[in-house]
Amino acid sequence: MDLGQHATLPADLRYIQYEHVLEARYLPAIRSLISKDLSEPYSIYVYRYFLCQWAHLCFMALNPEDSSLIGVIICKLEVHSSHSPPTRRGYIAMLAVAAPYRGYGVATSLVKMAIDAMAKRNADEIVLETEETNIPAMRLYERLGFLRSKKLHRYYLNGSSAYRLVLLLKPFDPSLAPDDEDGQIL
């Protein structure tokens, strides 16, 4: 379905949480959609790693006319022990929206759903990486409060660099951070 420049997105666009029973119907479409948008080639096992363990943090946007997939976000939430005390770190692994549906807020809605789901599960922060040349993604995440924390040179297999973006969901308490012998926070 080509929406064209002046078409509008259906008002009753359906957003649903991924469930394991949907794998046969939607996993091929998820893989196809993501492979068009993201530079990394992911195997079926990578998708299952996320979708089987964290289905409750993965959401899909469906066309109300035929229930076809138009957008997806795939996330996880784990304890990140490199901080002291350990933090609950959410991670947005993949986000994709079919080209004709971009610019209508679908990606924003998916990211907000993921943020809310992780916040309800007591996440301290949410991180992700995006190619430094992906200006629309950078704008989307920064508009939602994510901050650039690090540049990752030649991060992707195609040689592109990335930015790591972080959204702090809970205030950082410097008194809990380890320090070196000079009193500097590490």
Side-chain angles (χ1 to χ4, degrees):
M1 174 179 174
D2 184 11
L3 291 177
Q5 285 184 315
H6 302 290
T8 58
L9 195 64
D12 55 350
L13 188 66
R14 290 182 43 225
Y15 291 92
I16 66 168
Q17 180 179 308
Y18 182 84
E19 298 178 49
H20 303 296
V21 297
L22 301 173
E23 181 176 316
R25 180 169 184 186
Y26 287 107
L27 187 54
I30 290 170
R31 292 183 71 197
S32 175
L33 182 60
I34 289 172
S35 69
K36 289 176 190 164
D37 278 359
L38 303 184
S39 60
E40 293 293 283
Y42 297 111
S43 75
I44 187 76
Y45 304 106
V46 172
Y47 291 98
R48 287 188 174 139
Y49 167 76
F50 287 97
L51 295 171
C52 290
Q53 294 182 74
W54 297 283
H56 56 284
L57 301 176
C58 302
F59 300 93
M60 302 185 300
L62 304 178
N63 183 328
E65 296 170 11
D66 60 6
S67 293
S68 61
L69 182 74
I70 63 167
V72 64
I73 189 164
I74 297 176
C75 307
K76 72 176 183 174
L77 177 61
E78 296 182 305
V79 172
H80 187 67
S81 59
S82 70
H83 291 110
S84 179
T87 59
R88 292 181 56 78
R89 176 179 277 183
Y91 180 69
I92 297 176
M94 302 170 218
L95 170 67
V97 174
Y101 296 94
R102 294 182 189 151
Y104 293 95
V106 176
T108 299
S109 294
L110 288 167
V111 173
K112 284 180 176 180
M113 292 174 78
I115 291 169
D116 289 346
M118 288 186 253
K120 285 178 187 169
R121 288 165 177 82
N122 215 20
D124 296 299
E125 63 185 5
I126 300 172
V127 299
L128 63 99
E129 295 86 24
T130 190
E131 287 190 56
E132 68 178 337
T133 57
N134 191 343
I135 303 306
M138 297 290 286
R139 283 190 190 130
L140 162 73
Y141 291 118
E142 288 175 345
R143 203 171 52 247
L144 292 172
F146 285 82
L147 302 172
R148 296 179 197 190
S149 71
K150 183 188 291 189
K151 184 168 183 178
L152 306 165
H153 295 281
R154 300 183 54 82
Y155 181 76
Y156 292 104
L157 290 175
N158 66 5
S160 294
S161 295
Y163 283 108
R164 173 157 302 133
L165 302 175
V166 178
L167 176 66
L168 296 176
L169 298 176
K170 296 181 181 172
F172 175 71
D173 184 350
S175 69
L176 298 176
D179 54 274
D180 65 15
E181 56 266 2
D182 296 327
Q184 298 294 313
I185 294 174
L186 299 177

